[in-house]
Amino acid sequence: EYYRRESQNVKERWYCKRSFDDETPATLDQEDQVPITQKACEDAGDVWTEHPAWDIPPPECLGIQESRDNHLGNTADGGMASYLWRIPDTIPDGDTCVLRIRYNITTADFQSAGGDNAGFDPFFDLD
């Protein structure tokens, strides 16, 4: 429920509108980073700005079927894990739509870094 409740589909978002123009190149210097809190934004002389919710239903948030490591999502019944995407028919013709897909994996085929394994390289220390 948390992700559905916090989605920009149903809840506004805030961001720091910088006072410089869009042509200024970004750098990795700390002073060039966009503040992510209202206080830091306003302290930098910028404007903390609201972007309204999209006013569409919250996203589906579902659990996944369990699968073994490194089996590309094959489930206990031998089939591929899947999800049927439904493109909303409320998107106006010619409108821009962005789809963000993430694939997170956890594998158990090599030692993790840190602790007693410091310096272990899974690509070279295979003995």
Side-chain angles (χ1 to χ4, degrees):
E1 269 315 294
Y2 173 82
Y3 295 105
R4 293 172 52 84
R5 183 178 66 246
E6 294 297 316
S7 166
Q8 192 173 352
N9 289 4
V10 297
K11 184 178 179 180
E12 78 284 345
R13 287 287 176 262
W14 292 83
Y15 68 97
C16 186
K17 184 163 180 64
R18 303 302 308 261
S19 56
F20 57 82
D21 63 73
D22 290 337
E23 300 300 316
T24 303
T27 73
L28 295 178
D29 294 335
Q30 186 61 36
E31 63 272 5
D32 290 339
Q33 301 304 300
V34 177
I36 62 171
T37 66
Q38 181 176 2
K39 180 176 180 353
C41 179
E42 292 170 350
D43 287 351
D46 297 321
V47 180
W48 193 241
T49 306
E50 178 183 7
H51 190 288
W54 301 119
D55 197 26
I56 59 177
E60 285 190 293
C61 292
L62 307 170
I64 60 168
Q65 296 173 305
E66 209 171 293
S67 68
R68 294 183 351 195
D69 290 347
N70 294 325
H71 283 266
L72 299 176
N74 287 350
T75 61
D77 65 7
M80 293 292 290
S82 62
Y83 176 78
L84 178 60
W85 291 91
R86 290 184 177 84
I87 307 299
D89 57 6
T90 56
I91 299 173
D93 287 344
D95 204 2
T96 300
C97 182
V98 175
L99 177 63
R100 178 181 182 207
I101 300 175
R102 295 181 65 183
Y103 180 67
N104 296 325
I105 64 168
T106 302
T107 63
D109 56 347
F110 60 87
Q111 295 172 300
S112 62
D116 293 339
N117 297 326
F120 174 77
D121 186 329
F123 299 104
F124 295 103
D125 298 339
L126 300 175
D127 295 338

